[in-house]
Amino acid sequence: MNISLYAISVWVLPLLIAITFHEAAHAFVAYKLGDNTAWQLGRVSFNPFKHIDPFGTVILPGVLLLAHSPFLFGYAKPVPVNFRNLNHPRLDMVWVALAGPATNIILATIVAFAFHALPLVPADAAKWTADNLKNAFLINIVLAIFNMLPIPPLDGGRVAVGLLPRVLAYPLSRLEPYGMLILIGLLILLPIIGAQLGLNLDVISAILRTLTGYVISALLFITGNA
Protein backbone atom coordinates (compact mmCIF):
# COMPACT_ATOMS: atom_id res chain seq x y z
CA MET A 1 0.00 0.00 0.00
CA ASN A 2 1.18 3.52 -0.77
CA ILE A 3 0.80 5.25 2.61
CA SER A 4 2.03 8.83 2.39
CA LEU A 5 3.77 10.77 5.13
CA TYR A 6 0.89 13.23 4.99
CA ALA A 7 -1.63 10.47 5.71
CA ILE A 8 0.47 9.31 8.66
CA SER A 9 0.73 12.87 9.99
CA VAL A 10 -3.05 13.36 10.06
CA TRP A 11 -3.88 9.97 11.60
CA VAL A 12 -1.14 9.22 14.14
CA LEU A 13 -1.56 12.32 16.32
CA PRO A 14 -5.36 12.01 16.70
CA LEU A 15 -5.01 8.28 17.39
CA LEU A 16 -2.34 8.75 20.06
CA ILE A 17 -4.35 11.48 21.79
CA ALA A 18 -7.55 9.41 21.74
CA ILE A 19 -5.85 6.30 23.16
CA THR A 20 -3.82 8.23 25.74
CA PHE A 21 -6.76 10.17 27.15
CA HIS A 22 -8.93 7.03 27.14
CA GLU A 23 -6.48 4.99 29.19
CA ALA A 24 -5.42 7.86 31.46
CA ALA A 25 -9.10 8.46 32.29
CA HIS A 26 -9.51 4.83 33.42
CA ALA A 27 -6.44 5.13 35.63
CA PHE A 28 -7.42 8.51 37.09
CA VAL A 29 -10.98 7.47 37.99
CA ALA A 30 -9.74 4.20 39.53
CA TYR A 31 -7.29 6.22 41.65
CA LYS A 32 -10.02 8.62 42.77
CA LEU A 33 -12.30 5.70 43.70
CA GLY A 34 -9.76 3.94 45.89
CA ASP A 35 -7.37 1.85 43.76
CA ASN A 36 -3.87 3.24 43.24
CA THR A 37 -2.53 0.29 41.20
CA ALA A 38 -2.43 2.21 37.92
CA TRP A 39 -1.23 5.37 39.67
CA GLN A 40 1.79 3.56 41.11
CA LEU A 41 2.64 2.22 37.64
CA GLY A 42 2.56 5.71 36.14
CA ARG A 43 -0.54 5.09 34.03
CA VAL A 44 -2.27 8.32 35.12
CA SER A 45 -0.28 10.02 32.40
CA PHE A 46 -0.64 11.84 29.09
CA ASN A 47 2.56 10.18 27.86
CA PRO A 48 1.35 7.90 25.02
CA PHE A 49 4.26 5.51 25.49
CA LYS A 50 2.82 4.58 28.89
CA HIS A 51 -0.29 3.19 27.15
CA ILE A 52 0.91 1.82 23.80
CA ASP A 53 0.97 -1.97 23.46
CA PRO A 54 3.62 -2.89 20.82
CA PHE A 55 1.53 -5.68 19.33
CA GLY A 56 -2.02 -4.38 19.83
CA THR A 57 -1.38 -0.72 19.00
CA VAL A 58 1.27 -1.01 16.29
CA ILE A 59 1.82 -4.48 14.81
CA LEU A 60 -1.75 -5.81 14.61
CA PRO A 61 -3.33 -2.69 13.02
CA GLY A 62 -0.34 -2.40 10.68
CA VAL A 63 -0.66 -6.01 9.49
CA LEU A 64 -4.41 -5.62 8.95
CA LEU A 65 -3.85 -2.37 7.03
CA LEU A 66 -1.22 -3.94 4.77
CA ALA A 67 -3.46 -6.99 4.26
CA HIS A 68 -6.32 -4.74 3.07
CA SER A 69 -8.51 -5.97 5.91
CA PRO A 70 -12.10 -4.62 5.74
CA PHE A 71 -11.86 -3.78 9.44
CA LEU A 72 -8.94 -2.33 11.40
CA PHE A 73 -8.61 -3.65 14.94
CA GLY A 74 -6.21 -2.86 17.73
CA TYR A 75 -5.92 -2.15 21.41
CA ALA A 76 -3.84 -0.28 23.96
CA LYS A 77 -2.11 -1.67 27.04
CA PRO A 78 -4.93 -2.41 29.54
CA VAL A 79 -4.98 -0.24 32.65
CA PRO A 80 -4.48 -2.51 35.69
CA VAL A 81 -7.30 -2.08 38.22
CA ASN A 82 -7.70 -4.07 41.43
CA PHE A 83 -11.45 -3.82 41.77
CA ARG A 84 -11.32 -5.13 45.34
CA ASN A 85 -9.55 -1.90 46.33
CA LEU A 86 -12.38 0.29 45.04
CA ASN A 87 -14.66 1.90 47.60
CA HIS A 88 -17.74 0.18 46.15
CA PRO A 89 -16.32 -2.54 43.87
CA ARG A 90 -19.30 -3.38 41.62
CA LEU A 91 -20.58 0.17 41.16
CA ASP A 92 -17.15 1.79 40.97
CA MET A 93 -16.10 -0.75 38.34
CA VAL A 94 -18.84 0.72 36.15
CA TRP A 95 -17.54 4.27 36.64
CA VAL A 96 -13.97 3.21 35.90
CA ALA A 97 -15.08 1.44 32.72
CA LEU A 98 -17.24 4.37 31.55
CA ALA A 99 -14.43 6.89 32.10
CA GLY A 100 -12.58 5.93 28.89
CA PRO A 101 -15.48 6.09 26.40
CA ALA A 102 -16.93 9.17 28.12
CA THR A 103 -13.58 10.94 27.74
CA ASN A 104 -13.50 10.08 24.03
CA ILE A 105 -16.99 11.53 23.53
CA ILE A 106 -15.93 14.69 25.37
CA LEU A 107 -12.84 14.95 23.13
CA ALA A 108 -14.98 14.44 20.01
CA THR A 109 -17.31 17.21 21.18
CA ILE A 110 -14.38 19.60 21.77
CA VAL A 111 -13.03 18.77 18.32
CA ALA A 112 -16.44 19.41 16.75
CA PHE A 113 -16.56 22.86 18.35
CA ALA A 114 -13.00 23.45 17.11
CA PHE A 115 -14.25 23.12 13.51
CA HIS A 116 -15.68 26.63 13.92
CA ALA A 117 -12.18 28.02 14.46
CA LEU A 118 -10.80 26.72 11.14
CA PRO A 119 -11.23 30.11 9.38
CA LEU A 120 -8.67 31.50 11.85
CA VAL A 121 -6.00 28.97 10.80
CA PRO A 122 -3.37 30.20 8.29
CA ALA A 123 -4.18 29.06 4.76
CA ASP A 124 -1.06 26.90 4.37
CA ALA A 125 -1.97 24.89 7.50
CA ALA A 126 -5.76 24.84 7.08
CA LYS A 127 -6.06 21.53 5.23
CA TRP A 128 -3.68 19.69 7.59
CA THR A 129 -5.52 21.07 10.61
CA ALA A 130 -8.93 20.23 9.16
CA ASP A 131 -7.88 16.65 8.37
CA ASN A 132 -6.49 16.18 11.89
CA LEU A 133 -9.73 17.49 13.39
CA LYS A 134 -11.89 15.27 11.16
CA ASN A 135 -9.83 12.20 12.00
CA ALA A 136 -9.78 13.04 15.71
CA PHE A 137 -13.56 13.42 15.65
CA LEU A 138 -14.05 10.05 13.95
CA ILE A 139 -11.40 8.13 15.94
CA ASN A 140 -12.74 9.25 19.33
CA ILE A 141 -16.30 8.30 18.44
CA VAL A 142 -15.32 4.92 17.00
CA LEU A 143 -13.12 4.18 20.02
CA ALA A 144 -15.96 5.04 22.40
CA ILE A 145 -18.58 2.98 20.55
CA PHE A 146 -16.29 0.00 20.00
CA ASN A 147 -15.26 -0.13 23.65
CA MET A 148 -18.89 -0.18 24.76
CA LEU A 149 -19.50 -3.57 23.14
CA PRO A 150 -20.72 -5.78 26.02
CA ILE A 151 -17.81 -8.20 25.82
CA PRO A 152 -15.19 -8.31 28.60
CA PRO A 153 -12.51 -6.99 28.79
CA LEU A 154 -13.96 -4.11 26.78
CA ASP A 155 -15.44 -1.30 28.83
CA GLY A 156 -18.98 -2.26 27.84
CA GLY A 157 -18.40 -5.77 29.15
CA ARG A 158 -17.28 -4.44 32.52
CA VAL A 159 -20.25 -2.08 32.65
CA ALA A 160 -22.54 -5.04 31.97
CA VAL A 161 -20.83 -7.13 34.67
CA GLY A 162 -21.28 -4.30 37.16
CA LEU A 163 -24.96 -3.70 36.37
CA LEU A 164 -26.36 -7.14 35.59
CA PRO A 165 -27.71 -9.43 38.33
CA ARG A 166 -24.98 -11.68 39.71
CA VAL A 167 -26.51 -14.76 38.10
CA LEU A 168 -25.79 -13.18 34.68
CA ALA A 169 -22.76 -11.07 35.60
CA TYR A 170 -20.65 -13.98 36.84
CA PRO A 171 -20.70 -16.10 33.64
CA LEU A 172 -20.14 -12.95 31.56
CA SER A 173 -17.11 -11.99 33.66
CA ARG A 174 -15.60 -15.44 33.10
CA LEU A 175 -15.36 -14.64 29.36
CA GLU A 176 -12.72 -11.96 30.02
CA PRO A 177 -9.64 -14.18 29.37
CA TYR A 178 -11.12 -15.09 25.99
CA GLY A 179 -12.53 -11.65 25.12
CA MET A 180 -9.89 -10.67 22.56
CA LEU A 181 -10.19 -14.03 20.80
CA ILE A 182 -13.97 -13.59 20.67
CA LEU A 183 -13.57 -10.10 19.20
CA ILE A 184 -11.07 -11.26 16.58
CA GLY A 185 -13.46 -14.08 15.67
CA LEU A 186 -16.48 -11.77 15.38
CA LEU A 187 -14.71 -8.90 13.60
CA ILE A 188 -12.25 -10.70 11.33
CA LEU A 189 -12.76 -14.46 11.04
CA LEU A 190 -16.57 -14.50 10.84
CA PRO A 191 -16.74 -12.02 7.91
CA ILE A 192 -14.03 -13.99 6.08
CA ILE A 193 -15.96 -17.25 6.57
CA GLY A 194 -19.15 -15.52 5.46
CA ALA A 195 -17.49 -14.24 2.29
CA GLN A 196 -16.42 -17.79 1.44
CA LEU A 197 -20.00 -18.98 1.91
CA GLY A 198 -21.53 -16.07 0.04
CA LEU A 199 -23.09 -14.69 3.24
CA ASN A 200 -22.77 -11.33 4.94
CA LEU A 201 -21.74 -12.24 8.47
CA ASP A 202 -20.11 -8.89 9.23
CA VAL A 203 -22.84 -8.12 11.76
CA ILE A 204 -20.69 -6.42 14.43
CA SER A 205 -19.17 -3.99 11.93
CA ALA A 206 -22.65 -3.11 10.67
CA ILE A 207 -23.83 -2.41 14.23
CA LEU A 208 -20.73 -0.30 14.93
CA ARG A 209 -21.20 1.70 11.71
CA THR A 210 -24.85 2.36 12.52
CA LEU A 211 -24.22 3.47 16.10
CA THR A 212 -21.22 5.55 15.03
CA GLY A 213 -23.38 7.28 12.43
CA TYR A 214 -26.00 8.20 15.03
CA VAL A 215 -23.40 9.62 17.43
CA ILE A 216 -21.68 11.58 14.64
CA SER A 217 -24.98 13.12 13.57
CA ALA A 218 -25.93 13.98 17.16
CA LEU A 219 -22.60 15.66 17.98
CA LEU A 220 -22.55 17.61 14.70
CA PHE A 221 -26.06 18.86 15.46
CA ILE A 222 -25.25 19.76 19.09
CA THR A 223 -22.09 21.66 18.08
CA GLY A 224 -23.75 23.54 15.22
CA ASN A 225 -22.00 21.66 12.41
CA ALA A 226 -25.03 19.88 10.95
Side-chain angles (χ1 to χ4, degrees):
M1 292 183 67
N2 183 19
I3 304 174
S4 68
L5 290 176
Y6 180 84
I8 293 173
S9 75
V10 297
W11 281 103
V12 170
L13 183 60
L15 181 61
L16 286 178
I17 291 174
I19 290 174
T20 299
F21 275 72
H22 180 104
E23 299 299 334
H26 284 314
F28 178 75
V29 172
Y31 174 71
K32 285 297 184 180
L33 294 177
D35 178 45
N36 64 357
T37 305
W39 178 279
Q40 292 177 332
L41 293 173
R43 297 297 300 278
V44 184
S45 170
F46 292 124
N47 177 358
F49 294 103
K50 294 283 187 178
H51 308 290
I52 289 175
D53 181 275
F55 178 77
T57 314
V58 180
I59 296 174
L60 179 58
V63 168
L64 293 175
L65 185 64
L66 293 173
H68 300 272
S69 169
F71 190 92
L72 288 182
F73 173 68
Y75 53 88
K77 190 186 301 179
V79 168
V81 179
N82 186 341
F83 295 108
R84 290 189 294 273
N85 289 339
L86 298 173
N87 300 325
H88 308 284
R90 286 201 77 195
L91 179 59
D92 289 350
M93 176 174 65
V94 173
W95 293 120
V96 172
L98 286 174
T103 297
N104 290 126
I105 294 300
I106 291 170
L107 286 174
T109 304
I110 293 171
V111 168
F113 277 118
F115 288 150
H116 296 295
L118 280 174
L120 303 176
V121 178
D124 56 350
K127 184 178 187 306
W128 184 85
T129 303
D131 286 342
N132 266 280
L133 290 176
K134 286 188 291 185
N135 292 339
F137 183 70
L138 178 62
I139 287 169
N140 276 285
I141 292 174
V142 170
L143 190 60
I145 298 298
F146 175 77
N147 272 281
M148 286 308 295
L149 287 174
I151 303 171
L154 294 181
D155 301 325
R158 288 181 171 166
V159 170
V161 169
L163 296 179
L164 286 171
R166 292 184 185 275
V167 67
L168 298 176
Y170 180 68
L172 181 60
S173 68
R174 296 190 66 182
L175 292 178
E176 182 155 342
Y178 316 104
M180 285 301 169
L181 292 177
I182 293 172
L183 285 170
I184 291 172
L186 291 174
L187 293 170
I188 300 174
L189 298 181
L190 193 60
I192 292 174
I193 293 171
Q196 298 298 317
L197 299 175
L199 301 172
N200 182 9
L201 299 180
D202 197 10
V203 179
I204 300 297
S205 295
I207 293 172
L208 290 173
R209 282 193 297 269
T210 300
L211 293 176
T212 299
Y214 286 141
V215 175
I216 288 173
S217 297
L219 289 185
L220 290 177
F221 176 78
I222 290 170
T223 58
N225 288 289

